[in-house]
Amino acid sequence: MIRISKILLFFCVTALLAWVLPWAYGFLGGAAPRTPFTLYSSVSGRFVWLESSENGPTYHDAAGATFTEREFDSLLPFFYYRQLVADNRFPDSVRGVAVTPRMAQSGSFMFRSSPRDLNTTGAGIYPMLESMSGRVDLETPSDVFRIDDRGITFIDCATNAVDTEKSAAFTEMMRRKGFEFPARVIAGNPTTRKEYDEGFFLTDRTGGLFHLKQTVGRPYVRAVPLPEGLEVAHIHVTEFRGRQYYALLTDTAGQLYVLTTEDYALHPVEIPPVDLRQEGLLIVGNPLDWTLRVAAADGAEHYYAIDSRDFSRLAEWHYPAPAPSALDRAARWVFPFRLEFTSTLDTAVYPRLLDFSARALLLGALLATAYCLLRRNNPLRLWPQTLFVLLFGIYAFIGLLLFSKR
């Protein structure tokens, strides 16, 4: 019983140190360097960036030129249009295209997607707003819906009763348009904090894409044609102020597409495939071009400038993954593994063993051997203690070094 208690104690102490000490080590070592704020300039046709320094921010471009703050504002007229309007410096045209402050306001947008947004489990019920209420402000509906293999079901939130009439009307309309239940992907922005509502975009059992919304209390369903062989993986309904796009989509191969309102068609964006479950995506758009930032899992950041008319690539810029610091290299000899309960990639909470290091395990084994020799005992009789030293010795050593300096 005493031996079992010791083993349990050794296990708990080792798990606690594997959780706390790597975090403390990284905290004392400081945060990793951040990449500069970077955008594509519609004026110069090059990437420009703002970089912090001890003497204040500095402004550069991909050609090596340096700018003042006022010059930097003029290079990004759509992003800094408020400052340019206040200074009476907003241009009449950009690259031969006539522009106005109103055009900059309505045609600019920002979109962000992170792995945590996708690697999560939803409730499976959704509120459907009225897209043509006749009011300026959107109102939260009194019911929610779910979709299964039998159809779509609307449930009153106050009474928890099924609205059979509304459910039958929506189910019949969806089937009439070719929707085969159940739905595989359901995407929308069920919030009143937006200027208008475009409902939901869904894929059915066969992978077909459909647009579903409520118009004056009645169902609106439209099938969206897909290119041959395309299988939709993720859908992001945009609802930007300019109303020029319905949604951004990716297929199972990672290709990014734009669903435009003008022709109800998918247009591929000329960037390499992106895995939204592992990589972050940021888009800063204006009436002439987009700047896309793909944050890779290894820490590298890739920037792409995209023409907003045909979604072709105009330019690209890359920040490589930061090189490991001296502390990072030392950690490979210090910590045999790292224990974490949360992740930046999802919202789940459970134990995760990360960053196994054979070098640290080897060093721990040498310390365990030295421990047994100093004790002058048979290591087989002391296997719980030996295992403990193997995993815990390094953590105890570095813990003493860290906290003895404080």
Side-chain angles (χ1 to χ4, degrees), residues 153-344:
T153 304
F154 286 86
I155 305 170
D156 187 271
C157 295
T159 63
N160 205 30
V162 174
D163 189 336
T164 54
E165 183 178 352
K166 185 175 182 180
S167 301
F170 273 78
T171 299
E172 180 183 358
M173 178 61 71
M174 293 174 70
R175 284 179 173 157
R176 187 185 305 172
K177 295 295 184 177
F179 191 94
E180 296 188 22
F181 293 95
R184 295 167 59 179
V185 179
I186 304 175
N189 297 316
T191 174
T192 58
R193 300 181 64 181
K194 54 187 180 181
E195 296 187 1
Y196 64 99
D197 177 69
E198 282 296 348
F200 292 82
F201 282 84
L202 315 89
T203 60
D204 66 356
R205 181 178 59 84
T206 64
L209 180 62
F210 293 83
H211 186 189
L212 170 68
K213 62 181 177 179
Q214 181 175 258
T215 305
V216 198
R218 304 181 65 179
Y220 171 90
V221 183
R222 175 165 177 170
V224 181
L226 294 176
E228 185 68 27
L230 189 149
E231 184 177 352
V232 176
H234 306 292
I235 307 173
H236 296 276
V237 180
T238 53
E239 294 171 332
F240 298 142
R241 177 177 295 179
R243 304 192 183 215
Q244 63 273 54
Y245 315 114
Y246 279 126
L248 298 171
L249 304 89
T250 56
D251 61 14
T252 52
Q255 176 62 54
L256 179 66
Y257 295 86
V258 181
L259 179 60
T260 55
T261 57
E262 182 181 2
D263 52 6
Y264 244 113
L266 286 180
H267 302 272
V269 181
E270 193 181 344
I271 66 171
V274 54
D275 183 3
L276 294 183
R277 291 193 178 275
Q278 299 292 326
E279 301 174 315
L281 176 64
L282 172 67
I283 304 178
V284 180
N286 62 58
L288 298 184
D289 50 67
W290 299 0
T291 298
L292 284 81
R293 185 196 70 186
V294 178
D298 62 356
E301 293 189 1
H302 309 284
Y303 286 79
Y304 304 96
I306 300 298
D307 192 304
S308 62
R309 291 162 292 187
D310 59 7
F311 310 107
S312 61
R313 191 187 311 181
L314 299 173
E316 59 185 277
W317 188 257
H318 305 279
Y319 293 104
S325 64
L327 284 176
D328 295 331
R329 292 192 295 270
R332 301 300 297 170
W333 286 96
V334 170
F335 301 117
F337 58 86
R338 181 163 51 91
L339 175 65
E340 288 190 358
F341 291 89
T342 59
S343 172
T344 58

Side-chain angles (χ1 to χ4, degrees), residues 14-26:
T14 302
L16 182 62
L17 290 173
W19 179 27
V20 174
L21 283 181
W23 172 85
Y25 186 85

Side-chain angles (χ1 to χ4, degrees), residues 37 39-46 48 69-86 88-108 284-289 291:
F37 170 72
L39 287 176
Y40 179 77
S41 170
S42 304
V43 176
S44 67
R46 290 190 290 265
V48 297
E69 185 178 27
R70 287 176 61 87
E71 292 172 338
F72 191 76
D73 293 343
S74 298
L75 290 173
L76 301 172
F78 297 109
F79 193 82
Y80 292 111
Y81 77 92
R82 291 183 180 178
Q83 184 65 51
L84 296 179
V85 169
N88 198 26
R89 293 189 293 124
F90 191 84
D92 296 327
S93 64
V94 176
R95 295 210 309 258
V97 178
V99 295
T100 63
R102 183 177 181 84
M103 179 181 175
Q105 182 183 28
S106 63
S108 299
V284 180
N286 62 58
L288 298 184
D289 50 67
T291 298

Side-chain angles (χ1 to χ4, degrees), residues 370-391:
Y371 167 80
C372 294
L373 293 175
L374 291 174
R375 288 293 301 270
R376 299 179 180 276
N377 283 309
N378 184 355
L380 295 179
R381 293 178 54 192
L382 297 173
W383 69 267
Q385 293 91 328
T386 303
L387 179 63
F388 169 70
V389 174
L390 174 64
L391 297 177

